[in-house]
Amino acid sequence: MALTWSVLAAFLLLLINLVEVPAYNMVNVEAGHEAVLSCPSVSKASLLMVIWKTKCSTCCLLSYRSDHNQTMKLNCSERMTWKYSPDSDPDLRIYPVSLGDEGHYTCEIISSEGNFLFFSFLTVIVPPTVTLTFDKSTGAVCQASAGKPAADISWIPPNNASTSEVHHPNGTVTRVSWVNTTLSTVTCLVTHPATNQSLFLDLQSLWLHKLAERSAAPVATTNFRSTPSRVKMEAVKPPVLSEHIYQNYSSRTVYMNY
């Protein structure tokens, strides 16, 4: 029995030495930017093979074999490459990043020192398109379209705003907030990991413009014929009040969190 336990202990110790405890890395990157997924590096002398796998075994496979100095790429997008040389720095580079790249990635290092696993989860964020409009039935309407994750919307001064959101098939979310107010001005604040925006709307100017259109007096036009005894009066219709849309979009890089 003592011999059996000693053999089992030796076997477990061998497994611990050969397969290190996997590490985990969270990476957040804005769509259209560059993502770099890290993999632990080992000395060139001990390196045998590097293997990158995406979230499923039948998807992307990127590998390097040191004894043949050979790389292999299977079912991988051209946007996925080695960041540098795989024998010195086996990081994975994805550029430009798209929503379809989001998910789990596994890097495996096989060396004479043992096998090492490193897991990464790539999150792709998308800045929303932000607009602030005025609608005569609902009031001021602030909309953050197709963002990932959904943007947060608040108002200055604070109001009892109504909100709604639409989830799109690609994972983005459109969030809308609207408020009916008697204040002369409102400011919409949109908070998102990729962009923070502040949009201002002068409601007083809109109301004055609308009031001026309604109170515009008809303009008489005269249509002379051979004898100016018959006069035709025509009222000039005011133009339809159009929505005032303010858009201020400026994306910025969101740095990766390791």
Side-chain angles (χ1 to χ4, degrees), residues 6 12 17 21 98 104 107 116 193 198 203 228:
S6 62
L12 291 176
N17 290 331
V21 176
S98 67
H104 294 276
C107 176
F116 302 87
S198 175
L203 297 178

Side-chain angles (χ1 to χ4, degrees), residues 35-47:
V36 177
L37 307 182
S38 300
C39 192
S41 58
V42 298
S43 65
K44 290 185 178 181
S46 63
L47 180 64

Side-chain angles (χ1 to χ4, degrees), residues 30-124:
E30 185 178 330
H33 289 249
E34 178 190 62
V36 177
L37 307 182
S38 300
C39 192
S41 58
V42 298
S43 65
K44 290 185 178 181
S46 63
L47 180 64
L48 300 176
M49 183 175 291
V50 183
I51 302 173
W52 272 103
K53 299 177 183 178
T54 57
K55 47 196 167 184
C56 59
S57 59
T58 58
C59 295
C60 173
L61 178 65
L62 185 65
S63 66
Y64 168 74
R65 184 172 173 177
S66 62
D67 57 345
H68 292 169
N69 192 25
Q70 180 182 22
T71 59
M72 184 182 70
K73 197 173 185 180
L74 180 63
N75 297 329
C76 295
S77 168
E78 292 300 321
R79 297 177 294 106
M80 297 183 180
T81 59
W82 303 101
K83 175 65 176 178
Y84 301 107
S85 176
D87 60 348
S88 59
D89 191 342
D91 290 352
L92 178 66
R93 178 180 186 262
I94 307 175
Y95 179 79
V97 172
S98 67
L99 278 173
D101 299 324
E102 186 172 88
H104 294 276
Y105 292 78
T106 303
C107 176
E108 183 177 3
I109 296 288
I110 302 173
S111 71
S112 59
E113 300 172 359
N115 295 358
F116 302 87
L117 290 177
F118 199 82
F119 299 137
S120 297
F121 187 84
L122 175 62
T123 299
V124 180

